[in-house]
Structures are given as structure tokens and as C-alpha cells.
Amino acid sequence: MSLNPSYPQAIHPLVERINRAAQRCTSAGGSLRFESDIVRRDLVAAAEQLLMAARSPEENVFAIAQQPAQNAALRCAIALGIADALPADGSPRSVDDIASSTGADRSLLSRILRACASTSLLSEPSELYYAHNAVSRTLLSPANRALLTLMFDYNGRAVVALPEFLQARKWQDPGSYTDCSFMLGCRTHLPMWEYRDRDETCRQVFDLGMQSEIVAALSTGKASGPFPFGEELADNNNYNNNNLQDDDTLTIVDLGGGRGQALQEIREEHPQLSAARFVLMDLGPVIENALAAGLPSWIEPVVGSFFEPLPVRDARVYYLRRCLHNWDDAACRTILRNVAAAMDATRSRLLVTDMVVDDTHAAREMAWEDLNMMTIGGVERTERHWHTLLAESGFRVHRIWRNSATEHATIDARLK
Ligand SMILES: C[S@@+](CC[C@H](N)C(=O)[O-])C[C@H]1O[C@@H](n2cnc3c(N)ncnc32)[C@H](O)[C@@H]1O
């Protein structure tokens, strides 16, 4: 086994960096508090680099390659309902007891639980006893379980098929919405959204999964993203090109808004906007699902496709969160031109919350998300790419609000 070339020079500076970050964190009442999220993320980055530096190159590449088995253990734990089978107070339960409540074979179950414990997904306080820890408790949330199921059963299959798909195309292009590795991996002739809307299980896990706090925490930091909705929109005088009349109702239209999760987060985090008109637009089956799941009465549901002229015109805000990265540039131009056609020339603005990718040293989450998007014909975009795409579709970038610690951002765009 060869040694990592960065060893030992990298180790000591990384340990010092970790110590410095740890000093900027305090513990109170059993929880840790970091000076800022940037400090916390720097600690994570340094700890990961330390792990890489301390392992050999063979160990590092093997750690990447063995991830499918870890994913499988997690997916089995979800399917078996392990989170509900363990005592919520963190006390241990024996494999025998868990086997009798889940109906799984004891020896099979012990191998799955052992695999989960090996990645700290569960605690293993003593031989053949398992208990909840902070990670396994995330599986108590149905929305989190739905997201992880979506990532394994659909995105996972699509991404596993990606090398075969690209090789068949001689590595010349990433495919498109109607010809993509999602279709190869999920063995369907339907592209992503059509497949989801016809497959009840997929629709349920997708729509519920989009409400998961894992997505919110990882993607936008603050649930509603980095754009200060309250400050920017509650005060009419703060509006660029201000010519609002006193009786103007602030209308926010969330395009492709799923079950209205973004609107709910915005209203909760910015109570000064509670008198606004909140409109949720999505495809018919999604709106149906949102209503069945109990949409709050203050959200106005509208069935529509952003590939057609928009049914709500002249709204102050058209919001597209985590939608445009699903589509290639040609499709995005169609969507954006439909938004532009619905906008009032001076009073409307477009807000896009998505990744704005750094030109170098891309974060792992971004790289994962970009390949994930590639499987359905989408892409994560750099700042330059966003400027070009928006300009080609009739917009100018007014301001980019960045999340301080991730590559997620909200682009405030106006008509040219
Ligand atoms: C990745 S999800 C994002 C959901 C939500 N905006 C969020 O941030 O949680 C993309 C959304 O786009 C919707 N969508 C797909 N095609 C659409 C279309 N043609 N018109 C409107 N919405 C569409 C999907 O139904 C889905 O809700």
C-alpha cells in the first residue's frame, strides 16, 4: 500500500486549522454553537481533507467505490422502518426484538444493522444492540425518508446508468430531457416528469421529498434561501424602478412550486409579507397532490405549465426555485420567455434560486447535483452561464444574493 503523496506535510496544518475552528465553537445545553456557518463548514472541509491526507490513495479511491453498499444499507433501513422500530429516547434495542417487530430474518437484519452502524447511521452500544443517534433520528421524518428513497430508487438508478449512457453516445453530449440516462436507469420510455406523474409511488416520494428539511438545510441554508424577501418586498419604497400604487397587492407566484413549500417557508420567515397574495403554480397532478396533502388556505393553487403562457400576469414576483437546473438552455429560454411575457415592464421581477457554481474547486454537493441533473437533461450553471442564459431570454441580472457558505444563490433579474 503506498502512502498518500500529501502525507505528512498536509497533516499538521490541517490539524491546526481544525483546532482553530474548534476554538470558535462553544457548547451550551448539550448542543454546539459555531460563531458562523462559514466557520462550521470550514471545520467540515478541513476534517474531510485530513481524512483524505491520512488515508492512502488506495483507501481513498476504495472509500468512493464502496458507497453503493452504504446507500443500500440506508435504503434497507428505510424500507424496514428501523427508525420507528428503535426507542425514540435513544435506549438500545436488541436485534431479536427489532427482528420480531419488523418481521425480518434475524441474521439478515444483523448484517444490515451492522452495515448501518459502520457509517454511524445507527449507534451500536453493545453486541447485537442498536440505538438511535442524531443521524438515524433524521429518518423519523416522512419527508426525509421520501427524499432519501427518491435519491436511491430514481436518481440513484439514473446516475448508475450514466457511464453506460454516455459511453453509448461516444462521450459527445450529455443527452436531453427526452433522451437521458434517467430513462435507461429507470427502464422507461418516459422522461422524468411524465414518468413521475404516471407513477403514483414516484409522485408521492418526489413531492413529499421536496419538503424535506435535508434539502432546505443543504441547498439554501435558510429555508427560503438567501434572498431577504421581507426587507426587499414589504417596503414599496425599497423597490427598484418604484412606481407602485398604494393599493397594489404584492403577488408572489411560485412557478413549479410543488406542494407550496417555498411559499410556506417565505411566509413563516418573513411575517411582514403575510398580507401578500401567494400563488402556487405547478402541473395538474402535483397541484392535486398538494391539495390532497392539505394546502394552507392562503395559498392560491393554479394548474399550469411554464412551457405555456403563464396564467397569472403582472405579478410583482415570479419565483423559480430549484427548477431551471432541471432543464437545458433551450428549454430554459422557453420558460424564461414565458415569464418575461407575463411580467410588467417596470414592476415585476424574476427571482431564481438555484446553484451559482464557482469556476474552480466545485463543492462535492454541487458536483453530485450537476451529474444528477445531467441524468434528466439539466445542468448546474456558473455565474457567466446564468448571465448569458438570462440575457438571451430578455433579462438582465439586477443582483445575485449568495448564500454565505454554499453555492446556492438567488438571482434577482429584471426585464431588459
Ligand atoms: C425540483 S422541483 C422544485 C420544487 C420547488 N420549487 C422547491 O424548490 O422545492 C421542480 C418542480 O418543477 C415542476 N415542473 C416540472 N415541469 C413543469 C412544468 N412544465 N410547468 C410547471 N412546473 C413544472 C415539478 O412538478 C416540480 O414541482
Side-chain angles (χ1 to χ4, degrees):
M1 192 189 286
S2 54
L3 283 177
N4 192 330
S6 58
Y7 179 87
Q9 297 88 327
I11 302 270
H12 295 296
L14 284 168
V15 170
E16 276 165 26
R17 195 169 135 202
I18 289 169
N19 279 332
R20 276 198 304 276
Q23 281 160 14
R24 298 173 74 186
C25 136
T26 50
S27 62
S31 64
L32 283 179
R33 182 180 282 276
F34 286 88
E35 250 176 55
S36 71
D37 203 41
I38 296 178
V39 171
R40 188 185 69 80
R41 282 176 191 265
D42 187 53
L43 175 62
V44 172
E48 284 181 347
Q49 286 167 31
L50 180 62
L51 189 62
M52 295 292 282
R55 286 197 296 220
S56 70
E58 291 81 4
E59 286 171 330
N60 278 325
V61 77
F62 189 70
I64 295 169
Q66 70 184 2
Q67 282 167 11
Q70 295 167 14
N71 295 347
L74 169 59
R75 182 66 184 89
C76 290
I78 292 172
L80 281 164
I82 296 299
D84 289 325
L86 291 173
D89 65 1
S91 49
R93 193 174 183 200
S94 70
V95 172
D96 288 320
D97 269 1
I98 305 172
S100 65
S101 74
T102 57
D105 173 76
R106 180 190 181 282
S107 132
L108 166 66
L109 182 68
S110 67
R111 291 167 69 188
I112 292 169
L113 296 178
R114 182 175 64 183
C116 291
S118 76
T119 56
S120 301
L121 177 60
L122 292 175
S123 292
E124 188 181 0
S126 57
E127 191 180 352
L128 295 176
Y129 275 81
Y130 292 91
H132 262 305
N133 62 22
V135 186
S136 60
R137 280 202 182 87
T138 62
L139 302 184
L140 289 168
S141 147
N144 289 349
R145 289 199 299 269
L147 175 80
L148 298 167
T149 301
L150 174 73
M151 287 172 69
F152 191 90
D153 293 4
Y154 302 99
N155 304 148
R157 288 189 181 134
V159 105
V160 163
L162 193 59
E164 181 187 340
F165 176 82
L166 295 175
Q167 189 148 25
R169 302 173 81 88
K170 304 203 177 344
W171 307 98
Q172 295 306 303
D173 75 88
S176 65
Y177 177 61
T178 50
D179 179 16
C180 54
S181 73
F182 172 84
M183 296 158 83
L184 178 67
C186 292
R187 299 201 187 109
T188 171
H189 62 284
L190 294 172
M192 161 81 185
W193 303 114
E194 281 79 352
Y195 179 91
R196 179 203 59 174
D197 289 344
R198 283 190 208 181
D199 182 294
E200 183 58 22
T201 311
C202 182
R203 185 147 64 94
Q204 291 297 344
V205 292
F206 186 92
D207 292 352
L208 185 56
M210 285 300 112
Q211 294 182 301
S212 156
E213 55 265 32
I214 298 175
V215 179
L218 289 187
S219 65
T220 47
K222 201 165 66 164
S224 69
F227 182 75
F229 280 91
E231 296 80 340
E232 277 284 302
L233 300 175
D235 175 10
N236 286 353
N237 296 325
N238 195 16
Y239 189 71
N240 190 44
N241 289 334
N242 177 32
N243 63 354
L244 292 170
Q245 278 99 57
D246 289 343
D247 61 351
D248 262 337
T249 303
L250 168 62
T251 299
I252 302 175
V253 186
D254 187 10
L255 302 165
R259 292 191 183 180
Q261 52 270 20
L263 294 179
Q264 295 183 52
E265 290 155 6
I266 292 166
R267 194 171 185 259
E268 202 168 294
E269 286 174 7
H270 308 281
Q272 62 270 53
L273 299 182
S274 54
R277 178 183 171 213
F278 291 93
V279 180
L280 168 68
M281 193 194 93
D282 211 305
L283 299 169
V286 179
I287 294 293
E288 221 175 84
N289 225 358
L291 290 168
L295 197 63
S297 58
W298 51 267
I299 294 184
E300 195 180 312
V302 173
V303 170
S305 167
F306 40 49
F307 288 105
E308 308 290 334
L310 301 187
V312 182
R313 306 186 64 79
D314 298 333
R316 290 252 309 272
V317 177
Y318 290 90
Y319 190 37
L320 277 164
R321 187 178 82 167
R322 305 195 292 244
C323 286
L324 293 180
H325 72 162
N326 296 150
W327 301 95
D328 63 20
D329 284 3
C332 285
R333 280 191 292 270
T334 306
I335 297 171
L336 289 167
R337 283 174 188 152
N338 283 329
V339 179
M343 285 171 69
D344 178 273
T346 55
R347 299 188 304 165
S348 304
R349 70 171 98 189
L350 164 69
L351 297 177
V352 175
T353 296
D354 243 319
M355 282 194 179
V356 177
V357 176
D358 293 338
D359 289 326
T360 56
H361 300 297
R364 190 184 308 169
E365 293 75 23
M366 189 296 297
W368 168 77
E369 189 75 311
D370 184 46
L371 290 192
N372 203 18
M373 289 305 116
M374 191 187 285
T375 69
I376 59 169
V379 60
E380 299 297 344
R381 297 176 169 89
T382 60
E383 182 169 341
R384 199 173 311 130
H385 196 160
W386 280 115
H387 275 279
T388 308
L389 177 65
L390 287 161
E392 288 167 351
S393 313
F395 290 91
R396 67 186 160 85
V397 173
H398 173 69
R399 179 167 175 182
I400 299 183
W401 299 81
R402 288 177 187 277
N403 188 312
S404 55
T406 73
E407 292 179 88
H408 287 85
T410 297
I411 303 171
D412 180 345
R414 313 287 168 84
L415 289 176
K416 273 202 241 179

